[in-house]
Amino acid sequence: MSRLLLALVTAATVAAPTAGARAASWCADPLWAHEWGVHVYGADGAAIPSPVALPDWFHTPARSAAGLAPAAVRDLPADNGVRFLPVLHLYSAVAPSAPIPLGVEVGFAAGPASAWYPAVDTLRPFSEATGPAAKARREALVAARQARTSYGQNAPLPADPTRQLVWDRLELTAAPLGTPSPDDAPWIAAARKLDALWVNRGAESERFVFYEAGTAEPLPLALRRADGWAPGHRAYVLENRGPHPVHDLVLTHEERGESYVFGADRVPAGGAVTFVLEQHRAKDRRAATWGRLEHALVDPVMPAPLRGAYPTAGPCAMMRDPAIPFEAAQGHGLFRGEVDLLLSVWGERFFDQRGTTLVWREDDAALSAAIPLSIYTDMYHYVVLQRAGLALWEHVTLP
């Protein structure tokens, strides 16, 4: 299987004065970070090539250009209260008056990084990032983070040793600082149409950060006949043998001009659902497939990026330390434009193939274990992370 990640880090900021003009007491501005990606399984769970064409200007292990950023975001001053097709799109409620610094570290638990953009500052081998020494150093790093104080001098902290790809410092701007590469892949042209901030690193500018990896994660689902199966009454049991629940599952089956669609909101870890295929003949196939996934993914509270000043009601984020990354997702909701882009790339492959196809959303815990992600920013911002990982099992043979 291959994991294609469209990592959409969606930043929304408010118009704010420069650091020197801030008042003695103030609240950090939010950056909404949206990541989505697709994990593809073949008919038997075997590895398959990436289904999305990547431009030749993306970086790969054979074409890496690792270098050093001027200053890592995690080394910026702390706030002491004195006031897969993997793409990282950035949105701002108001165009920032100065570049917003962003650090990103990505790990892959089950395989090596295969492509990324822009160039990274550190490319760590899979065996090193997943080895026992790296895990021990991460435990020490987490302890050092917890020991930091908002007052006094803190020693600089290193990058996470369990992450394969490290961008120490990216600059987020309303206009590109460099010349974008040709949009020679259709999905890149579509991604650039989103009203997103530009991600800059050196001479490279793009509206996203991309990361992809080939993985060896086992297929969590299994399909077998249920008791009472008979021609014309094909009863099946869909089992979740994985350690995490799966969500928003859609099974489609095309046969002799007929469409069948079965959906389940949740299948718990170690659990199963039973269905009879003939009882799920699709009356409105589009609504049961494309529409169902769109409804599951679009954030009902914030379906589009904010424009104008961010409302100040709610908790005030203060005492921000750039050395402490944001790693825990707070949900999976995306903006409608992001979901439209996802479906424009993947929709036909998800729902319009002949035979049997399954699509589901991975649990937050499963996604965090498979692709640990750390995002850093300066003391004037904080990150609200949303992650939507989808899985595709195609060319399934009905037992």
Side-chain angles (χ1 to χ4, degrees):
M1 73 289 293
S2 67
R3 180 177 289 279
L4 186 64
L5 306 172
L6 180 54
L8 298 151
V9 173
T10 313
T13 68
V14 300
T18 61
R22 290 194 179 244
S25 180
W26 51 276
C27 302
D29 299 329
L31 301 177
W32 284 277
H34 289 188
E35 180 204 68
W36 64 263
V38 179
H39 190 182
V40 183
Y41 295 93
D44 58 357
I48 60 174
S50 174
V52 181
L54 303 183
D56 58 11
W57 43 268
F58 273 15
H59 300 281
T60 67
R63 300 193 305 270
S64 65
L68 296 177
V73 173
R74 60 181 177 273
D75 293 337
L76 294 178
D79 177 5
N80 61 10
V82 177
R83 353 226 120 100
F84 192 169
L85 189 74
V87 202
L88 189 51
H89 290 297
L90 307 149
Y91 300 83
S92 177
V94 176
S97 57
I100 301 171
L102 196 79
V104 180
E105 299 171 348
V106 183
F108 301 100
S114 57
W116 56 89
Y117 195 83
V120 293
D121 296 292
T122 300
L123 172 60
R124 188 171 287 113
F126 169 71
S127 59
E128 177 184 333
T130 56
K135 293 178 181 178
R137 290 198 302 272
R138 173 173 165 81
E139 292 179 0
L141 174 61
V142 171
R145 290 172 180 169
Q146 295 172 346
R148 287 174 70 88
T149 175
S150 296
Y151 295 91
Q153 193 71 23
N154 289 304
L157 296 180
D160 193 317
T162 64
R163 306 305 195 239
Q164 293 183 44
L165 301 176
V166 176
W167 289 271
D168 279 326
R169 182 166 184 148
L170 302 168
E171 302 284 345
L172 310 181
T173 56
L177 299 181
T179 301
S181 299
D183 55 353
D184 46 4
W187 66 267
I188 291 179
R192 288 181 182 173
K193 292 180 181 178
L194 295 177
D195 185 18
L197 292 176
W198 288 86
V199 180
N200 306 276
R201 182 192 179 279
E204 295 182 332
S205 294
E206 191 47 88
R207 285 197 189 269
F208 53 76
V209 174
F210 174 98
Y211 41 89
E212 182 181 74
T215 70
E217 298 169 52
L219 176 68
L221 301 182
L223 193 63
R224 61 176 175 84
R225 290 185 179 184
D227 294 341
W229 186 100
H233 186 85
R234 289 171 288 179
Y236 294 104
V237 176
L238 182 64
E239 298 177 314
N240 178 7
R241 299 176 179 178
H244 304 282
V246 302
H247 307 268
D248 304 320
L249 181 142
V250 179
L251 179 149
T252 60
H253 179 72
E254 290 287 333
E255 179 183 86
R256 294 190 292 273
E258 293 284 356
S259 297
Y260 303 86
V261 180
F262 168 74
D265 292 338
R266 185 177 185 272
V267 184
V273 291
T274 302
F275 64 96
V276 176
L277 191 64
E278 283 74 16
Q279 296 176 359
H280 295 277
R281 186 173 283 107
K283 297 179 181 179
D284 187 342
R285 189 178 183 285
R286 185 83 175 189
T289 55
W290 294 65
R292 182 187 181 98
L293 184 60
E294 180 182 37
H295 178 75
L297 293 182
V298 174
D299 190 331
V301 176
M302 191 180 296
L306 291 177
R307 292 292 178 262
Y310 179 67
T312 56
C316 176
M318 299 179 69
M319 312 300 289
R320 278 275 301 112
D321 184 348
I324 310 300
F326 295 85
E327 298 180 334
Q330 299 187 23
H332 68 274
L334 302 176
F335 295 142
R336 186 173 301 278
E338 297 164 347
V339 176
D340 290 343
L341 174 58
L342 185 158
L343 288 174
S344 73
V345 176
W346 288 95
E348 292 184 2
R349 188 151 181 173
F350 283 168
F351 303 124
D352 295 342
Q353 296 193 71
R354 293 183 179 180
T356 306
T357 306
L358 282 85
V359 176
W360 64 94
R361 180 174 59 81
E362 297 175 296
D363 191 71
D364 289 347
L367 190 57
S368 295
I371 313 166
L373 173 66
S374 304
I375 302 177
Y376 303 81
T377 189
D378 62 12
M379 66 177 173
Y380 304 115
H381 301 88
Y382 68 95
V383 176
V384 180
L385 178 60
Q386 304 276 94
R387 306 186 74 182
L390 302 178
L392 168 64
W393 182 17
E394 56 186 0
H395 310 307
V396 180
T397 301
L398 290 178

